Amino acid sequence: MDNRFIDIEIKLAHQEHLVESLNERIYAQQQQIDKLENLIAAMAERIRTRDSAQAPINERPPHY
């Protein structure tokens, strides 16, 4: 009976370690997602507010 409890405690300890590791990974991924979202928002704002003096992306240069 004691061996059975010891096995269960060992499995539980492994599960707790796994859950903690997964939580840390999820937290790191969420931080990366937040940074990327901020970068995209900044890039979108930059595109919206760029100078109207700039030539449109698809416009041919004047020497054509």
Side-chain angles (χ1 to χ4, degrees):
M1 190 70 162
D2 280 343
N3 287 338
R4 189 172 171 196
F5 284 124
I6 292 172
D7 289 341
I8 291 172
E9 288 176 346
I10 291 171
K11 288 179 182 180
L12 179 60
H14 286 295
Q15 290 295 319
E16 287 175 343
H17 177 70
L18 177 63
V19 169
E20 184 62 32
S21 297
L22 292 173
N23 281 337
E24 289 172 4
R25 183 64 183 145
I26 290 170
Y27 179 74
Q29 287 178 338
Q30 187 60 51
Q31 286 183 316
Q32 186 176 17
I33 289 169
D34 292 343
K35 287 178 185 177
L36 291 171
E37 286 177 342
N38 290 335
L39 179 62
I40 290 171
M43 291 173 70
E45 183 63 26
R46 186 174 175 190
I47 289 170
R48 270 190 239 112
T49 60
R50 72 178 185 194
D51 268 342
S52 60
Q54 288 181 337
I57 294 172
N58 295 328
E59 187 175 309
R60 287 185 171 193
H63 62 277
Y64 277 105

